[in-house]
Amino acid sequence: MMTDKVRIDSLGVNSFNENNETYLARQAEYESNVRSYPRKLPLAIAKASGVWITDVENNQYLDCLAGAGTLALGHNHPDVLQSIQNVITSGLPLHTLDLTTPLKDQFSAYLLSLLPGQGKEYCLQFTGPSGADAVEAALKLAKKYTGRSGVISFSGGYHGMTHGALAVTGNLSPKEAVNGMMPEVQFMPYPHLYRCPLGIGGEAGVKALTYYFENLINDVESGVRKPAAVILEAVQGEGGVNPAPVEWLQRIRQVTQEHGILLIIDEVQAGFARTGKLFAFEHAGIEPDIIVMSKAVGGGLPLAVLGIKKQFDAWEPGHHTGTFRGNQLAMATGLTTLKHLKEHRIADKVATQGEWLKAKLSGLQKRYPVIGHVRGLGLMIGIEIVKPGEAQDHMGCYPADGQLSALLQKKCFEAGLILERGGRGGCVLRLLPSLLITNDELRIFLEKFEQALLAAGIKPVDVE
């Protein structure tokens, strides 16, 4: 149903004369209860540019969500917009199934060149345009190649909401009413920089977790059959921004190779310069058997791709299809984005900014003890909120405070700052801004974040 309250002016820019509340009320009427972001970020977006969003009431927000990491170059980057215009005026088809075009050919060649070894050992698979469908394809391919049916995943991991992807996702809430989950999924503990799942912490905790994984695979009495695949994120995103320790990830790679188990690395959120490397697994110097790519790979438009070591490409024609696996506009915006990231050395910029920002947040942590831990890589940063007035556990960690984290997200929004939450009980505030965010804009973030802390009634402590 259309409304006469919205018109398109001669410049093609939407003009609005209704407030956020009215649009949100109609959204609630039109859409399913499944919608989530409008409940936490109650606005109707009128326009956006770079790291800034403007709502229909002309309020401005610094966007540190960026489409959950999709908008690597921010909103409406001029080169990305121009690439869309170029396709529209070129006569290229907008829909091609998996038929090729000169644009797809160029995109494929460039994307392959970014993979380990310039992609010489890899081929690409274009799946349906979501990361979840790419995960589904990766799991199916691993089972098809190995002839085995089991999968090892990790607590805290997030891989999507479709049936198989949800089965290998750690979050229990969306699984509660879903019977008949994909069988033979074995979850193992993932290292945590702040809350070691073994209650040990530090280097000893990492070594114990590494041994635990290796022993499970080697132990003939483990009760777990050799799996087809191990799937993990090199930096867990939704699980609370947990980077994998290098030695742990390297040993997982070695063990999977020794046992003929395919290693699937999910780079949907962490990929393409987000962590200060082009791919998060590069921090450990490893090569996955299958790389899952989405979000930033499409430059803001829907696209998902697998990078598959050629030796594991066991597909028969048509054994994993999808109507929209030939999104030409996304290949254009993706190619423009990937070229910008590489040619402007954005990963190096992001690595430097990430270290600077973590240092500034650690300074805030000293004055605001509700900040229990600051962690992450590059511009993928997590701020864990805790209850400093309660007893610490045996590792010196305060209880997590998801309720205060939710309040801080609200106060950030009121201050003109958009952040997401994640981690157990939503206790982690997460930063995923455009990779082109400037140092001045990061300073604005820090100002708004401290403003939110004060607005939440949190008083700073004196620091000598």
Side-chain angles (χ1 to χ4, degrees):
M1 184 175 87
M2 297 297 292
T3 172
D4 59 3
K5 298 295 186 179
V6 179
R7 63 181 176 82
I8 307 298
D9 65 24
S10 60
L11 296 177
V13 178
N14 286 333
S15 299
F16 307 92
N17 58 4
E18 292 183 322
N19 61 21
N20 288 314
E21 185 177 354
T22 302
Y23 283 104
L24 289 165
R26 280 206 295 269
Q27 184 181 20
E29 178 185 350
Y30 298 157
E31 297 183 27
S32 161
N33 284 330
V34 78
R35 68 194 185 284
S36 62
Y37 283 110
R39 302 178 192 276
K40 299 175 286 187
L41 305 169
L43 80 165
I45 300 173
K47 58 184 177 180
S49 178
V51 297
W52 296 98
I53 284 175
T54 305
D55 69 15
V56 294
E57 298 175 13
N58 210 34
N59 301 307
Q60 277 201 323
Y61 303 86
L62 179 63
D63 181 13
C64 287
L65 177 57
T70 299
L71 300 166
L73 305 187
H75 294 277
N76 292 324
H77 189 281
D79 291 349
V80 171
L81 295 182
Q82 186 60 54
S83 69
I84 295 173
Q85 294 285 349
N86 292 344
V87 171
I88 291 172
T89 59
S90 70
L92 278 169
L94 299 183
H95 185 279
T96 67
L97 297 172
D98 64 351
L99 297 170
T100 197
T101 67
L103 172 58
K104 183 178 184 180
D105 181 80
Q106 188 179 5
F107 174 81
S108 299
Y110 198 84
L111 178 57
L112 278 169
S113 75
L114 302 179
L115 302 188
Q118 296 187 317
K120 293 177 182 177
E121 296 184 16
Y122 287 86
C123 61
L124 302 178
Q125 178 184 354
F126 291 85
T127 66
S130 72
D133 189 62
V135 168
E136 298 281 355
L139 296 173
K140 285 166 58 178
L141 179 58
K143 293 179 180 182
K144 184 175 179 64
Y145 176 82
T146 63
R148 300 190 291 270
S149 57
V151 178
I152 290 178
S153 190
F154 291 87
S155 300
Y158 181 88
H159 301 289
M161 287 289 169
T162 52
H163 199 70
L166 181 58
V168 296
T169 289
N171 194 319
L172 292 176
S173 179
K175 298 181 178 184
E176 288 179 354
V178 182
N179 296 319
M181 299 296 296
M182 185 176 73
E184 287 198 74
V185 176
Q186 175 69 39
F187 278 89
M188 298 198 68
Y190 188 98
H192 197 295
L193 296 176
Y194 186 54
R195 300 185 186 277
C196 174
L198 300 182
I200 300 172
E203 185 178 347
V206 173
K207 286 184 177 180
L209 287 165
T210 306
Y211 175 78
Y212 183 28
F213 176 84
E214 185 172 359
N215 186 65
L216 182 90
I217 300 297
N218 289 320
D219 185 2
V220 295
E221 294 286 341
S222 70
V224 179
R225 297 197 297 173
K226 181 188 292 188
V230 169
I231 184 169
L232 60 85
E233 301 160 274
V235 180
Q236 290 188 334
E238 304 292 333
V241 193
N242 298 314
V246 167
E247 58 271 33
W248 178 82
L249 191 51
Q250 289 174 338
R251 189 57 189 147
I252 284 182
R253 172 68 288 191
Q254 293 169 0
V255 171
T256 52
Q257 284 180 317
E258 291 166 2
H259 289 269
I261 301 166
L262 271 62
L263 178 60
I264 303 168
I265 301 287
D266 183 338
E267 290 277 341
V268 169
Q269 191 167 104
F272 301 103
R274 170 63 56 188
T275 66
K277 297 278 189 183
L278 195 63
F279 294 104
F281 63 76
E282 291 181 345
H283 292 278
I286 65 169
E287 292 188 9
D289 299 314
I290 302 176
I291 307 166
V292 185
M293 298 169 278
S294 189
K295 293 191 185 292
V297 77
L301 296 182
L303 190 67
V305 191
L306 294 182
I308 304 166
K309 282 281 184 83
K310 292 177 181 177
Q311 68 196 85
F312 304 121
D313 183 21
W315 289 119
E316 296 293 333
H319 278 201
H320 190 92
T321 63
T323 301
F324 294 102
R325 65 195 187 279
N327 189 339
Q328 297 295 294
L329 284 177
M331 292 178 195
T333 53
L335 179 60
T336 295
T337 297
L338 299 183
K339 284 186 173 181
H340 190 101
L341 294 175
K342 183 177 181 180
E343 292 171 4
H344 291 83
R345 301 179 64 88
I346 298 301
D348 293 340
K349 164 194 173 292
V350 165
T352 300
Q353 286 182 311
E355 291 306 306
W356 177 85
L357 184 55
K358 283 192 294 183
K360 292 294 185 181
L361 287 169
S362 294
L364 274 181
Q365 181 182 7
K366 294 175 182 176
R367 294 190 290 119
Y368 296 93
V370 295
I371 300 175
H373 194 233
V374 177
R375 56 181 177 265
L377 293 170
L379 290 175
M380 188 174 183
I381 294 176
I383 305 166
E384 182 158 340
I385 304 301
V386 299
K387 301 176 181 179
E390 297 190 8
Q392 295 171 300
D393 63 19
H394 72 282
M395 293 178 58
C397 299
Y398 291 109
D401 196 341
Q403 186 174 1
L404 178 57
S405 175
L407 176 61
L408 283 170
Q409 183 185 41
K410 179 182 178 185
K411 294 302 180 183
C412 283
F413 180 77
E414 292 172 357
L417 176 61
I418 291 177
L419 294 177
E420 177 57 310
R421 295 162 59 221
R424 273 74 170 176
C427 67
V428 179
L429 296 167
R430 301 171 54 222
L431 279 73
L432 290 166
S434 161
L435 304 183
L436 301 189
I437 192 169
T438 66
N439 292 341
D440 286 342
E441 288 164 338
L442 288 176
R443 292 186 184 95
I444 293 172
F445 156 75
L446 289 167
E447 291 171 4
K448 289 180 178 293
F449 184 61
E450 185 166 13
Q451 180 182 338
L453 288 165
L454 294 169
I458 302 165
K459 297 180 180 179
V461 299
D462 293 330
V463 178
E464 293 182 0

